[in-house]
Amino acid sequence: MENLGQITEFKSSPELVEKLYQYSIQKNYEPGSIILNENANIHSIPIVTKGMIKVIRTEEDGREILLYYIKSGESCIMSFLGGLHNETSKVKAEVEEEAEILFLPVDKVSLFIKEYPQWLDYIFRLYHKRFEELLDIINAIAFKKVDERLLNLLHKKSALTQSNIIQTTHEQLANELGTARVVVSRLLKQLEENGNVQLGRNKIIITEG
Amino acid sequence: MENLGQITEFKSSPELVEKLYQYSIQKNYEPGSIILNENANIHSIPIVTKGMIKVIRTEEDGREILLYYIKSGESCIMSFLGGLHNETSKVKAEVEEEAEILFLPVDKVSLFIKEYPQWLDYIFRLYHKRFEELLDIINAIAFKKVDERLLNLLHKKSALTQSNIIQTTHEQLANELGTARVVVSRLLKQLEENGNVQLGRNKIIITEG
DNA sequence: CCTGCTCTGTAACAAAAGTAACCGTACAAG
DNA sequence: CTTGTACGGTTACTTTTGTTACAGAGCAGG
């Protein structure tokens, strides 16, 4: 998705698409860049047009947990509400894959809601999606064991990158799951023994499913 | 709150309030009633005008976890989005305190969005609130130990009922925290020894804070 | 006053996850 | 080639939470 015109809700309104491009500022980011920091003020909302971003919740002591990914064509809906209410961000957003992002000033966000019903539909759809993802996360951390969550995460990453080779470190995975590196190493070893994965340096190969 | 006109967003539009009453069906419920079941179809969204409702996420095996409370004047925003997209509910809603609820058909929900900006403001505000509550829940179950979460829950209940005497059973608390009864009993005993609470049958008295 | 029910207290044990410490190995930079 | 650093493997141990099982306490209804 390199063109906002491809977004379902926007197909019926080229005018909206044009306005979006007109009022947004485009920026490019390398993997690892921080788009949005916890407690940062929000002046504009990001719409991802290329690449992928991950949204992370952090605890004061530095521990983190992955909430969800923002894929191309999607926006960070938390920024949206935060911006609307003039609040600071409750999450951190980090670039996972080289990304191109449009930043739309919050005043335009509100304006477009009044003028373009498609824009509101878009926002609602994303809201809905994020809500469900958060519910899934809650179920996972409340009821699932770490090994199952780990395997799920690997599958999700595999699906996102459309490859069964995952480039990451145990430390990374531990952060995203909100646990410690040793735990991940231990469980990965088990998964390898069970034939679920094959381990390498900075690399995990999924050998089933 | 017995009157929708008292809701911040609605003060500027008595017309909207009138319409809400006109198109809604009012029902009354006893504590323990289930307003909305997981996987139920959503034809109308509930607006609580009296009492309190709790929203619960359940796992297939019967385990549950409390998400948040819907207080008087608030609505179940999950139903809203679910209704909009013609989906089934992902959560269960149970009456905590004797409640009076207005049910507004989903088609009216969409209609009002177009006609009354206040209605949209209301929806956005609730969305925002729920989102933050979900984030808090995630932080709690990911990073906090059960004893801390238990104490938090007790304080929350105390604040909601404006009383430091909490009427509940250990079983109840365990369900809301997504853990087992023995665990809660054990931790409550510890809290009692630490002087945080005083225990009785069907009753917990908070003795500090 | 007895009976049956629900609620609570405890013990003993198992499983899962967290923590600390240490070592070897791959890899990049010099 | 050497050296420093990041990464992964492993051990030993603690803490936390889950599980099972059972006994006593309070309470309502007959």
Side-chain angles (χ1 to χ4, degrees), chain A residues 145-146 178-183 186 201:
Chain A
K145 285 190 284 180
V146 181
T179 179
R181 202 266 309 168
V182 269
V183 175
R186 180 159 61 207
R201 189 184 171 86

PDB file of all heavy atoms in Angstrom, chain A residues 145-146 178-183 186 201, chain C residues 15-22 25-27:
ATOM      1  N   LYS A 145       0.128 -19.714  28.872  1.00  0.00           N
ATOM      2  CA  LYS A 145       1.476 -19.790  29.386  1.00  0.00           C
ATOM      3  C   LYS A 145       2.435 -19.159  28.365  1.00  0.00           C
ATOM      4  O   LYS A 145       2.106 -18.976  27.204  1.00  0.00           O
ATOM      5  CB  LYS A 145       1.848 -21.245  29.665  1.00  0.00           C
ATOM      6  CG  LYS A 145       1.155 -21.750  30.926  1.00  0.00           C
ATOM      7  CD  LYS A 145       1.667 -23.093  31.378  1.00  0.00           C
ATOM      8  CE  LYS A 145       1.106 -24.186  30.479  1.00  0.00           C
ATOM      9  NZ  LYS A 145       1.598 -25.524  30.896  1.00  0.00           N
ATOM     10  N   VAL A 146       3.626 -18.838  28.866  1.00  0.00           N
ATOM     11  CA  VAL A 146       4.556 -18.086  28.024  1.00  0.00           C
ATOM     12  C   VAL A 146       4.957 -18.875  26.777  1.00  0.00           C
ATOM     13  O   VAL A 146       5.135 -18.292  25.710  1.00  0.00           O
ATOM     14  CB  VAL A 146       5.811 -17.677  28.825  1.00  0.00           C
ATOM     15  CG1 VAL A 146       6.757 -16.866  27.957  1.00  0.00           C
ATOM     16  CG2 VAL A 146       5.403 -16.861  30.028  1.00  0.00           C
ATOM     17  N   GLY A 178       7.095  -9.351  27.427  1.00  0.00           N
ATOM     18  CA  GLY A 178       7.087  -8.851  28.797  1.00  0.00           C
ATOM     19  C   GLY A 178       7.723  -9.810  29.779  1.00  0.00           C
ATOM     20  O   GLY A 178       7.342  -9.883  30.938  1.00  0.00           O
ATOM     21  N   THR A 179       8.722 -10.569  29.324  1.00  0.00           N
ATOM     22  CA  THR A 179       9.381 -11.505  30.233  1.00  0.00           C
ATOM     23  C   THR A 179      10.898 -11.354  30.098  1.00  0.00           C
ATOM     24  O   THR A 179      11.370 -10.376  29.540  1.00  0.00           O
ATOM     25  CB  THR A 179       8.922 -12.955  29.963  1.00  0.00           C
ATOM     26  OG1 THR A 179       9.580 -13.831  30.843  1.00  0.00           O
ATOM     27  CG2 THR A 179       9.202 -13.368  28.537  1.00  0.00           C
ATOM     28  N   ALA A 180      11.653 -12.337  30.612  1.00  0.00           N
ATOM     29  CA  ALA A 180      13.111 -12.198  30.622  1.00  0.00           C
ATOM     30  C   ALA A 180      13.760 -13.056  29.538  1.00  0.00           C
ATOM     31  O   ALA A 180      13.190 -14.039  29.083  1.00  0.00           O
ATOM     32  CB  ALA A 180      13.657 -12.593  31.986  1.00  0.00           C
ATOM     33  N   ARG A 181      14.973 -12.674  29.182  1.00  0.00           N
ATOM     34  CA  ARG A 181      15.667 -13.348  28.097  1.00  0.00           C
ATOM     35  C   ARG A 181      15.865 -14.834  28.370  1.00  0.00           C
ATOM     36  O   ARG A 181      15.616 -15.669  27.504  1.00  0.00           O
ATOM     37  CB  ARG A 181      17.022 -12.675  27.844  1.00  0.00           C
ATOM     38  CG  ARG A 181      17.591 -12.909  26.496  1.00  0.00           C
ATOM     39  CD  ARG A 181      18.549 -14.077  26.415  1.00  0.00           C
ATOM     40  NE  ARG A 181      19.587 -14.022  27.441  1.00  0.00           N
ATOM     41  CZ  ARG A 181      20.394 -15.017  27.727  1.00  0.00           C
ATOM     42  NH1 ARG A 181      20.280 -16.167  27.075  1.00  0.00           N
ATOM     43  NH2 ARG A 181      21.280 -14.904  28.669  1.00  0.00           N
ATOM     44  N   VAL A 182      16.335 -15.175  29.569  1.00  0.00           N
ATOM     45  CA  VAL A 182      16.560 -16.592  29.883  1.00  0.00           C
ATOM     46  C   VAL A 182      15.319 -17.437  29.691  1.00  0.00           C
ATOM     47  O   VAL A 182      15.393 -18.582  29.244  1.00  0.00           O
ATOM     48  CB  VAL A 182      17.051 -16.806  31.336  1.00  0.00           C
ATOM     49  CG1 VAL A 182      18.543 -16.776  31.397  1.00  0.00           C
ATOM     50  CG2 VAL A 182      16.433 -15.826  32.263  1.00  0.00           C
ATOM     51  N   VAL A 183      14.191 -16.863  30.042  1.00  0.00           N
ATOM     52  CA  VAL A 183      12.932 -17.599  29.909  1.00  0.00           C
ATOM     53  C   VAL A 183      12.687 -17.928  28.444  1.00  0.00           C
ATOM     54  O   VAL A 183      12.362 -19.064  28.091  1.00  0.00           O
ATOM     55  CB  VAL A 183      11.762 -16.770  30.481  1.00  0.00           C
ATOM     56  CG1 VAL A 183      10.442 -17.475  30.247  1.00  0.00           C
ATOM     57  CG2 VAL A 183      11.982 -16.499  31.954  1.00  0.00           C
ATOM     58  N   ARG A 186      15.118 -20.583  27.184  1.00  0.00           N
ATOM     59  CA  ARG A 186      14.696 -21.876  27.714  1.00  0.00           C
ATOM     60  C   ARG A 186      13.551 -22.457  26.898  1.00  0.00           C
ATOM     61  O   ARG A 186      13.601 -23.606  26.446  1.00  0.00           O
ATOM     62  CB  ARG A 186      14.271 -21.686  29.173  1.00  0.00           C
ATOM     63  CG  ARG A 186      13.803 -22.915  29.883  1.00  0.00           C
ATOM     64  CD  ARG A 186      13.916 -22.742  31.397  1.00  0.00           C
ATOM     65  NE  ARG A 186      13.117 -21.659  31.948  1.00  0.00           N
ATOM     66  CZ  ARG A 186      13.416 -20.994  33.060  1.00  0.00           C
ATOM     67  NH1 ARG A 186      14.514 -21.290  33.732  1.00  0.00           N
ATOM     68  NH2 ARG A 186      12.635 -20.045  33.515  1.00  0.00           N
ATOM     69  N   ARG A 201      21.722 -18.033  15.150  1.00  0.00           N
ATOM     70  CA  ARG A 201      22.049 -16.733  15.732  1.00  0.00           C
ATOM     71  C   ARG A 201      21.238 -15.642  15.032  1.00  0.00           C
ATOM     72  O   ARG A 201      21.258 -15.537  13.811  1.00  0.00           O
ATOM     73  CB  ARG A 201      23.550 -16.461  15.566  1.00  0.00           C
ATOM     74  CG  ARG A 201      24.025 -15.250  16.324  1.00  0.00           C
ATOM     75  CD  ARG A 201      25.479 -14.989  16.030  1.00  0.00           C
ATOM     76  NE  ARG A 201      25.918 -13.719  16.574  1.00  0.00           N
ATOM     77  CZ  ARG A 201      26.350 -13.548  17.817  1.00  0.00           C
ATOM     78  NH1 ARG A 201      26.391 -14.564  18.643  1.00  0.00           N
ATOM     79  NH2 ARG A 201      26.726 -12.359  18.250  1.00  0.00           N
TER      80      ARG A 201
ATOM     81  P    DA C  15       4.023 -31.390  38.015  1.00  0.00           P
ATOM     82  OP1  DA C  15       3.310 -32.254  37.067  1.00  0.00           O
ATOM     83  OP2  DA C  15       5.432 -31.636  38.377  1.00  0.00           O
ATOM     84  O5'  DA C  15       3.909 -29.886  37.485  1.00  0.00           O
ATOM     85  C5'  DA C  15       2.638 -29.264  37.455  1.00  0.00           C
ATOM     86  C4'  DA C  15       2.820 -27.808  37.144  1.00  0.00           C
ATOM     87  O4'  DA C  15       3.322 -27.110  38.308  1.00  0.00           O
ATOM     88  C3'  DA C  15       3.813 -27.529  36.019  1.00  0.00           C
ATOM     89  O3'  DA C  15       3.184 -26.615  35.163  1.00  0.00           O
ATOM     90  C2'  DA C  15       5.035 -26.929  36.740  1.00  0.00           C
ATOM     91  C1'  DA C  15       4.348 -26.237  37.915  1.00  0.00           C
ATOM     92  N9   DA C  15       5.158 -26.029  39.103  1.00  0.00           N
ATOM     93  C8   DA C  15       5.975 -26.923  39.742  1.00  0.00           C
ATOM     94  N7   DA C  15       6.559 -26.443  40.815  1.00  0.00           N
ATOM     95  C5   DA C  15       6.076 -25.146  40.889  1.00  0.00           C
ATOM     96  C6   DA C  15       6.323 -24.108  41.813  1.00  0.00           C
ATOM     97  N6   DA C  15       7.121 -24.233  42.871  1.00  0.00           N
ATOM     98  N1   DA C  15       5.704 -22.930  41.600  1.00  0.00           N
ATOM     99  C2   DA C  15       4.890 -22.814  40.539  1.00  0.00           C
ATOM    100  N3   DA C  15       4.587 -23.715  39.609  1.00  0.00           N
ATOM    101  C4   DA C  15       5.222 -24.874  39.847  1.00  0.00           C
ATOM    102  P    DA C  16       3.724 -26.358  33.691  1.00  0.00           P
ATOM    103  OP1  DA C  16       2.591 -26.539  32.785  1.00  0.00           O
ATOM    104  OP2  DA C  16       4.995 -27.075  33.484  1.00  0.00           O
ATOM    105  O5'  DA C  16       4.031 -24.803  33.761  1.00  0.00           O
ATOM    106  C5'  DA C  16       3.094 -23.968  34.401  1.00  0.00           C
ATOM    107  C4'  DA C  16       3.763 -22.701  34.818  1.00  0.00           C
ATOM    108  O4'  DA C  16       4.576 -22.943  35.972  1.00  0.00           O
ATOM    109  C3'  DA C  16       4.699 -22.119  33.753  1.00  0.00           C
ATOM    110  O3'  DA C  16       4.122 -20.895  33.364  1.00  0.00           O
ATOM    111  C2'  DA C  16       6.057 -21.978  34.476  1.00  0.00           C
ATOM    112  C1'  DA C  16       5.678 -22.079  35.942  1.00  0.00           C
ATOM    113  N9   DA C  16       6.638 -22.676  36.857  1.00  0.00           N
ATOM    114  C8   DA C  16       7.206 -23.920  36.788  1.00  0.00           C
ATOM    115  N7   DA C  16       8.002 -24.195  37.803  1.00  0.00           N
ATOM    116  C5   DA C  16       7.953 -23.048  38.580  1.00  0.00           C
ATOM    117  C6   DA C  16       8.577 -22.699  39.787  1.00  0.00           C
ATOM    118  N6   DA C  16       9.409 -23.514  40.451  1.00  0.00           N
ATOM    119  N1   DA C  16       8.313 -21.473  40.301  1.00  0.00           N
ATOM    120  C2   DA C  16       7.475 -20.678  39.640  1.00  0.00           C
ATOM    121  N3   DA C  16       6.830 -20.881  38.490  1.00  0.00           N
ATOM    122  C4   DA C  16       7.115 -22.104  38.016  1.00  0.00           C
ATOM    123  P    DA C  17       4.812 -20.016  32.221  1.00  0.00           P
ATOM    124  OP1  DA C  17       3.728 -19.202  31.648  1.00  0.00           O
ATOM    125  OP2  DA C  17       5.664 -20.857  31.357  1.00  0.00           O
ATOM    126  O5'  DA C  17       5.740 -19.063  33.080  1.00  0.00           O
ATOM    127  C5'  DA C  17       5.123 -18.311  34.112  1.00  0.00           C
ATOM    128  C4'  DA C  17       6.180 -17.612  34.922  1.00  0.00           C
ATOM    129  O4'  DA C  17       6.925 -18.564  35.693  1.00  0.00           O
ATOM    130  C3'  DA C  17       7.199 -16.839  34.076  1.00  0.00           C
ATOM    131  O3'  DA C  17       7.135 -15.501  34.511  1.00  0.00           O
ATOM    132  C2'  DA C  17       8.537 -17.525  34.399  1.00  0.00           C
ATOM    133  C1'  DA C  17       8.266 -18.141  35.763  1.00  0.00           C
ATOM    134  N9   DA C  17       9.047 -19.329  36.104  1.00  0.00           N
ATOM    135  C8   DA C  17       9.194 -20.471  35.377  1.00  0.00           C
ATOM    136  N7   DA C  17       9.941 -21.380  35.962  1.00  0.00           N
ATOM    137  C5   DA C  17      10.313 -20.783  37.155  1.00  0.00           C
ATOM    138  C6   DA C  17      11.107 -21.223  38.228  1.00  0.00           C
ATOM    139  N6   DA C  17      11.690 -22.419  38.273  1.00  0.00           N
ATOM    140  N1   DA C  17      11.273 -20.365  39.269  1.00  0.00           N
ATOM    141  C2   DA C  17      10.675 -19.174  39.229  1.00  0.00           C
ATOM    142  N3   DA C  17       9.905 -18.643  38.276  1.00  0.00           N
ATOM    143  C4   DA C  17       9.770 -19.515  37.261  1.00  0.00           C
ATOM    144  P    DG C  18       8.171 -14.423  33.981  1.00  0.00           P
ATOM    145  OP1  DG C  18       7.419 -13.159  33.916  1.00  0.00           O
ATOM    146  OP2  DG C  18       8.904 -14.936  32.805  1.00  0.00           O
ATOM    147  O5'  DG C  18       9.200 -14.318  35.205  1.00  0.00           O
ATOM    148  C5'  DG C  18       8.689 -13.911  36.456  1.00  0.00           C
ATOM    149  C4'  DG C  18       9.829 -13.761  37.436  1.00  0.00           C
ATOM    150  O4'  DG C  18      10.402 -15.052  37.705  1.00  0.00           O
ATOM    151  C3'  DG C  18      10.979 -12.881  36.936  1.00  0.00           C
ATOM    152  O3'  DG C  18      11.395 -12.046  38.010  1.00  0.00           O
ATOM    153  C2'  DG C  18      12.056 -13.893  36.540  1.00  0.00           C
ATOM    154  C1'  DG C  18      11.803 -15.016  37.543  1.00  0.00           C
ATOM    155  N9   DG C  18      12.202 -16.341  37.099  1.00  0.00           N
ATOM    156  C8   DG C  18      11.813 -16.994  35.955  1.00  0.00           C
ATOM    157  N7   DG C  18      12.325 -18.189  35.848  1.00  0.00           N
ATOM    158  C5   DG C  18      13.104 -18.337  36.993  1.00  0.00           C
ATOM    159  C6   DG C  18      13.909 -19.427  37.422  1.00  0.00           C
ATOM    160  O6   DG C  18      14.086 -20.517  36.868  1.00  0.00           O
ATOM    161  N1   DG C  18      14.531 -19.155  38.641  1.00  0.00           N
ATOM    162  C2   DG C  18      14.390 -17.984  39.339  1.00  0.00           C
ATOM    163  N2   DG C  18      15.062 -17.896  40.482  1.00  0.00           N
ATOM    164  N3   DG C  18      13.642 -16.956  38.942  1.00  0.00           N
ATOM    165  C4   DG C  18      13.035 -17.202  37.771  1.00  0.00           C
ATOM    166  P    DT C  19      12.537 -11.002  37.828  1.00  0.00           P
ATOM    167  OP1  DT C  19      12.238  -9.893  38.752  1.00  0.00           O
ATOM    168  OP2  DT C  19      12.715 -10.766  36.384  1.00  0.00           O
ATOM    169  O5'  DT C  19      13.830 -11.752  38.364  1.00  0.00           O
ATOM    170  C5'  DT C  19      13.805 -12.353  39.644  1.00  0.00           C
ATOM    171  C4'  DT C  19      15.209 -12.797  40.013  1.00  0.00           C
ATOM    172  O4'  DT C  19      15.432 -14.147  39.518  1.00  0.00           O
ATOM    173  C3'  DT C  19      16.324 -11.929  39.422  1.00  0.00           C
ATOM    174  O3'  DT C  19      17.201 -11.592  40.468  1.00  0.00           O
ATOM    175  C2'  DT C  19      16.976 -12.822  38.368  1.00  0.00           C
ATOM    176  C1'  DT C  19      16.715 -14.212  38.944  1.00  0.00           C
ATOM    177  N1   DT C  19      16.643 -15.338  37.971  1.00  0.00           N
ATOM    178  C2   DT C  19      17.314 -16.500  38.266  1.00  0.00           C
ATOM    179  O2   DT C  19      17.976 -16.651  39.273  1.00  0.00           O
ATOM    180  N3   DT C  19      17.170 -17.488  37.325  1.00  0.00           N
ATOM    181  C4   DT C  19      16.448 -17.427  36.156  1.00  0.00           C
ATOM    182  O4   DT C  19      16.401 -18.386  35.399  1.00  0.00           O
ATOM    183  C5   DT C  19      15.770 -16.182  35.911  1.00  0.00           C
ATOM    184  C7   DT C  19      14.959 -16.018  34.655  1.00  0.00           C
ATOM    185  C6   DT C  19      15.899 -15.207  36.815  1.00  0.00           C
ATOM    186  P    DA C  20      18.398 -10.557  40.210  1.00  0.00           P
ATOM    187  OP1  DA C  20      18.404  -9.646  41.376  1.00  0.00           O
ATOM    188  OP2  DA C  20      18.321 -10.017  38.835  1.00  0.00           O
ATOM    189  O5'  DA C  20      19.674 -11.493  40.303  1.00  0.00           O
ATOM    190  C5'  DA C  20      19.710 -12.544  41.256  1.00  0.00           C
ATOM    191  C4'  DA C  20      20.968 -13.346  41.057  1.00  0.00           C
ATOM    192  O4'  DA C  20      20.703 -14.431  40.126  1.00  0.00           O
ATOM    193  C3'  DA C  20      22.139 -12.557  40.467  1.00  0.00           C
ATOM    194  O3'  DA C  20      23.306 -12.917  41.188  1.00  0.00           O
ATOM    195  C2'  DA C  20      22.185 -12.996  39.011  1.00  0.00           C
ATOM    196  C1'  DA C  20      21.686 -14.432  39.114  1.00  0.00           C
ATOM    197  N9   DA C  20      21.037 -14.961  37.920  1.00  0.00           N
ATOM    198  C8   DA C  20      20.225 -14.303  37.031  1.00  0.00           C
ATOM    199  N7   DA C  20      19.780 -15.060  36.057  1.00  0.00           N
ATOM    200  C5   DA C  20      20.339 -16.302  36.318  1.00  0.00           C
ATOM    201  C6   DA C  20      20.265 -17.530  35.658  1.00  0.00           C
ATOM    202  N6   DA C  20      19.554 -17.728  34.550  1.00  0.00           N
ATOM    203  N1   DA C  20      20.948 -18.574  36.189  1.00  0.00           N
ATOM    204  C2   DA C  20      21.652 -18.380  37.304  1.00  0.00           C
ATOM    205  N3   DA C  20      21.802 -17.270  38.012  1.00  0.00           N
ATOM    206  C4   DA C  20      21.120 -16.253  37.465  1.00  0.00           C
ATOM    207  P    DA C  21      24.681 -12.225  40.859  1.00  0.00           P
ATOM    208  OP1  DA C  21      25.249 -11.825  42.163  1.00  0.00           O
ATOM    209  OP2  DA C  21      24.524 -11.229  39.777  1.00  0.00           O
ATOM    210  O5'  DA C  21      25.517 -13.436  40.290  1.00  0.00           O
ATOM    211  C5'  DA C  21      25.206 -14.777  40.690  1.00  0.00           C
ATOM    212  C4'  DA C  21      25.960 -15.715  39.783  1.00  0.00           C
ATOM    213  O4'  DA C  21      25.099 -16.148  38.703  1.00  0.00           O
ATOM    214  C3'  DA C  21      27.185 -15.067  39.135  1.00  0.00           C
ATOM    215  O3'  DA C  21      28.304 -15.914  39.309  1.00  0.00           O
ATOM    216  C2'  DA C  21      26.787 -14.923  37.668  1.00  0.00           C
ATOM    217  C1'  DA C  21      25.809 -16.089  37.497  1.00  0.00           C
ATOM    218  N9   DA C  21      24.836 -15.914  36.423  1.00  0.00           N
ATOM    219  C8   DA C  21      24.190 -14.765  36.047  1.00  0.00           C
ATOM    220  N7   DA C  21      23.377 -14.919  35.029  1.00  0.00           N
ATOM    221  C5   DA C  21      23.497 -16.260  34.710  1.00  0.00           C
ATOM    222  C6   DA C  21      22.896 -17.062  33.725  1.00  0.00           C
ATOM    223  N6   DA C  21      22.011 -16.592  32.846  1.00  0.00           N
ATOM    224  N1   DA C  21      23.239 -18.371  33.687  1.00  0.00           N
ATOM    225  C2   DA C  21      24.126 -18.828  34.573  1.00  0.00           C
ATOM    226  N3   DA C  21      24.761 -18.184  35.546  1.00  0.00           N
ATOM    227  C4   DA C  21      24.392 -16.887  35.564  1.00  0.00           C
ATOM    228  P    DC C  22      29.746 -15.435  38.897  1.00  0.00           P
ATOM    229  OP1  DC C  22      30.650 -15.885  39.974  1.00  0.00           O
ATOM    230  OP2  DC C  22      29.726 -14.027  38.459  1.00  0.00           O
ATOM    231  O5'  DC C  22      30.000 -16.338  37.621  1.00  0.00           O
ATOM    232  C5'  DC C  22      29.626 -17.705  37.653  1.00  0.00           C
ATOM    233  C4'  DC C  22      29.686 -18.264  36.256  1.00  0.00           C
ATOM    234  O4'  DC C  22      28.478 -17.930  35.547  1.00  0.00           O
ATOM    235  C3'  DC C  22      30.840 -17.680  35.414  1.00  0.00           C
ATOM    236  O3'  DC C  22      31.616 -18.735  34.908  1.00  0.00           O
ATOM    237  C2'  DC C  22      30.127 -16.894  34.326  1.00  0.00           C
ATOM    238  C1'  DC C  22      28.823 -17.685  34.212  1.00  0.00           C
ATOM    239  N1   DC C  22      27.716 -16.975  33.535  1.00  0.00           N
ATOM    240  C2   DC C  22      26.971 -17.671  32.581  1.00  0.00           C
ATOM    241  O2   DC C  22      27.243 -18.854  32.349  1.00  0.00           O
ATOM    242  N3   DC C  22      25.966 -17.034  31.918  1.00  0.00           N
ATOM    243  C4   DC C  22      25.706 -15.749  32.195  1.00  0.00           C
ATOM    244  N4   DC C  22      24.720 -15.172  31.531  1.00  0.00           N
ATOM    245  C5   DC C  22      26.457 -15.027  33.166  1.00  0.00           C
ATOM    246  C6   DC C  22      27.439 -15.662  33.809  1.00  0.00           C
ATOM    247  P    DT C  25      32.989 -22.753  22.251  1.00  0.00           P
ATOM    248  OP1  DT C  25      32.978 -24.204  21.957  1.00  0.00           O
ATOM    249  OP2  DT C  25      34.245 -22.008  22.394  1.00  0.00           O
ATOM    250  O5'  DT C  25      32.088 -22.023  21.176  1.00  0.00           O
ATOM    251  C5'  DT C  25      30.689 -21.876  21.408  1.00  0.00           C
ATOM    252  C4'  DT C  25      30.155 -20.763  20.535  1.00  0.00           C
ATOM    253  O4'  DT C  25      30.088 -19.532  21.287  1.00  0.00           O
ATOM    254  C3'  DT C  25      31.025 -20.462  19.319  1.00  0.00           C
ATOM    255  O3'  DT C  25      30.170 -20.171  18.234  1.00  0.00           O
ATOM    256  C2'  DT C  25      31.789 -19.216  19.751  1.00  0.00           C
ATOM    257  C1'  DT C  25      30.685 -18.510  20.529  1.00  0.00           C
ATOM    258  N1   DT C  25      31.112 -17.453  21.465  1.00  0.00           N
ATOM    259  C2   DT C  25      30.357 -16.305  21.531  1.00  0.00           C
ATOM    260  O2   DT C  25      29.355 -16.129  20.863  1.00  0.00           O
ATOM    261  N3   DT C  25      30.815 -15.368  22.432  1.00  0.00           N
ATOM    262  C4   DT C  25      31.934 -15.465  23.238  1.00  0.00           C
ATOM    263  O4   DT C  25      32.243 -14.554  23.999  1.00  0.00           O
ATOM    264  C5   DT C  25      32.686 -16.693  23.109  1.00  0.00           C
ATOM    265  C7   DT C  25      33.919 -16.898  23.934  1.00  0.00           C
ATOM    266  C6   DT C  25      32.243 -17.624  22.241  1.00  0.00           C
ATOM    267  P    DA C  26      30.568 -20.531  16.751  1.00  0.00           P
ATOM    268  OP1  DA C  26      29.771 -21.673  16.281  1.00  0.00           O
ATOM    269  OP2  DA C  26      32.048 -20.552  16.695  1.00  0.00           O
ATOM    270  O5'  DA C  26      30.058 -19.237  15.989  1.00  0.00           O
ATOM    271  C5'  DA C  26      28.667 -18.931  16.022  1.00  0.00           C
ATOM    272  C4'  DA C  26      28.512 -17.426  15.899  1.00  0.00           C
ATOM    273  O4'  DA C  26      29.144 -16.787  17.028  1.00  0.00           O
ATOM    274  C3'  DA C  26      29.177 -16.849  14.650  1.00  0.00           C
ATOM    275  O3'  DA C  26      28.181 -16.111  13.962  1.00  0.00           O
ATOM    276  C2'  DA C  26      30.302 -15.955  15.193  1.00  0.00           C
ATOM    277  C1'  DA C  26      29.818 -15.632  16.597  1.00  0.00           C
ATOM    278  N9   DA C  26      30.863 -15.400  17.601  1.00  0.00           N
ATOM    279  C8   DA C  26      31.870 -16.248  17.971  1.00  0.00           C
ATOM    280  N7   DA C  26      32.642 -15.770  18.929  1.00  0.00           N
ATOM    281  C5   DA C  26      32.103 -14.522  19.191  1.00  0.00           C
ATOM    282  C6   DA C  26      32.465 -13.513  20.105  1.00  0.00           C
ATOM    283  N6   DA C  26      33.489 -13.603  20.941  1.00  0.00           N
ATOM    284  N1   DA C  26      31.709 -12.389  20.109  1.00  0.00           N
ATOM    285  C2   DA C  26      30.665 -12.292  19.265  1.00  0.00           C
ATOM    286  N3   DA C  26      30.236 -13.174  18.374  1.00  0.00           N
ATOM    287  C4   DA C  26      31.008 -14.276  18.387  1.00  0.00           C
ATOM    288  P    DC C  27      28.393 -15.716  12.461  1.00  0.00           P
ATOM    289  OP1  DC C  27      27.111 -15.922  11.767  1.00  0.00           O
ATOM    290  OP2  DC C  27      29.633 -16.358  11.959  1.00  0.00           O
ATOM    291  O5'  DC C  27      28.646 -14.159  12.609  1.00  0.00           O
ATOM    292  C5'  DC C  27      27.967 -13.429  13.626  1.00  0.00           C
ATOM    293  C4'  DC C  27      28.661 -12.100  13.828  1.00  0.00           C
ATOM    294  O4'  DC C  27      29.621 -12.204  14.901  1.00  0.00           O
ATOM    295  C3'  DC C  27      29.443 -11.625  12.595  1.00  0.00           C
ATOM    296  O3'  DC C  27      29.085 -10.299  12.320  1.00  0.00           O
ATOM    297  C2'  DC C  27      30.896 -11.761  13.024  1.00  0.00           C
ATOM    298  C1'  DC C  27      30.785 -11.521  14.523  1.00  0.00           C
ATOM    299  N1   DC C  27      31.896 -12.072  15.335  1.00  0.00           N
ATOM    300  C2   DC C  27      32.374 -11.319  16.410  1.00  0.00           C
ATOM    301  O2   DC C  27      31.860 -10.224  16.655  1.00  0.00           O
ATOM    302  N3   DC C  27      33.387 -11.821  17.167  1.00  0.00           N
ATOM    303  C4   DC C  27      33.912 -13.004  16.878  1.00  0.00           C
ATOM    304  N4   DC C  27      34.900 -13.448  17.667  1.00  0.00           N
ATOM    305  C5   DC C  27      33.437 -13.793  15.787  1.00  0.00           C
ATOM    306  C6   DC C  27      32.436 -13.291  15.052  1.00  0.00           C
TER     307       DC C  27
END
